[in-house]
Amino acid sequence: KHHFITFFIAKQVNFCNFVALDNNYNLFLENITNITNMQRAIKLVGLAMLYVLAFFIVEVLGALHPYVWTYSAVPAALIAAWPYYKLCERYPLPGMAMLCAILLLMVNFLFGQGHEIFALGCFLFGFIAEGFRKMWGNYRGRKGTIASYAAMALIPFSKTCVWWVDFETVTTMNIYNKQDIYYATLAGKILSLPVLLSMIALTLVLAIGAMLLLTRNWNPREKYDIIIEK
């Protein structure tokens, strides 16, 4: 009888230890998952911010000549291609294009460079880009990524379109704090409709060409690899 009681108590102790060990293991897995999620979020936002940084590099160079600033979409289509490609390949999930558009909008408003038409353009082109990613490949397709980047590359035109919409008010307010000669140059051939259309076409060609080159070995990650960050 005493042996039976001792054996029963030992069994209960072992069971309690097993439960405690199992709970600790689950807690350990939960902590690891939280750390992994945080690391993944940092990497994801980091790539999106590199995309945003590409546009600001071009805008800084825009101080050299009005052409560069007004048609910043042209060089930005090349500079921002790699971060966008890497983001869509590494995280083939819904919302990546919209994330880039929203971050670009927020940073521009933070530095006093945003306006209503630009906000509309960010959401419009971001929505179109997400539609392309969903339609062609369910966020994993090469064709959808290329088409979505072409749409995203047009976002800067929604920012500089104020020159065509309300040029006099913009120059009077001097919201971009540039010299009078800068405005005088803008008022010339730079703002002509043929030049605008040709720059839009060039932007699309460069965006599609850059993404075609980058996605030659297109290999989006599987969902499991996204959840368990490597």
Side-chain angles (χ1 to χ4, degrees), residues 10 22 27 35 57 88 93 106-107 117 134 144 159 166 169 173-174 176 178 181 188 192 202 206:
D22 186 58
L27 182 61
I35 294 172
I57 291 175
C88 292
L93 302 169
M106 291 175 60
V107 174
I117 301 177
K134 173 65 176 177
K159 180 178 181 178
D166 195 7
T169 301
M173 291 174 62
N174 197 21
Y176 295 107
K178 292 183 171 61
I181 190 173
S192 67
L202 180 59
L206 292 177

Side-chain angles (χ1 to χ4, degrees), residues 27 31 38-39 50-51 59-60 63 67 76-77 94 97 119 129 132 143 146 157-158 175 189 191 193 195 211-212:
L27 182 61
N31 290 333
M38 185 177 297
Q39 291 174 341
L50 282 178
Y51 171 86
E59 290 197 3
V60 170
Y67 259 119
F132 285 149
K143 184 178 179 181
I146 295 170
F157 287 104
S158 63
I175 61 173
K189 295 181 179 180
L191 297 184
L193 184 59
V195 174
M211 201 54 62
L212 280 171

Side-chain angles (χ1 to χ4, degrees), residues 194-227:
V195 174
L196 172 63
L197 295 178
S198 63
M199 291 297 106
I200 291 176
L202 180 59
T203 299
L204 290 174
V205 169
L206 292 177
I208 293 172
M211 201 54 62
L212 280 171
L213 289 174
L214 288 170
T215 59
R216 285 176 300 176
N217 299 316
W218 178 250
N219 184 29
R221 304 176 77 193
E222 298 296 334
K223 290 183 178 179
Y224 177 80
D225 292 331
I226 298 172
I227 296 173

Side-chain angles (χ1 to χ4, degrees), residues 62-83:
L64 300 175
H65 195 277
Y67 259 119
V68 181
W69 190 87
T70 307
Y71 300 111
S72 60
V74 177
L78 294 175
I79 300 176
W82 184 86

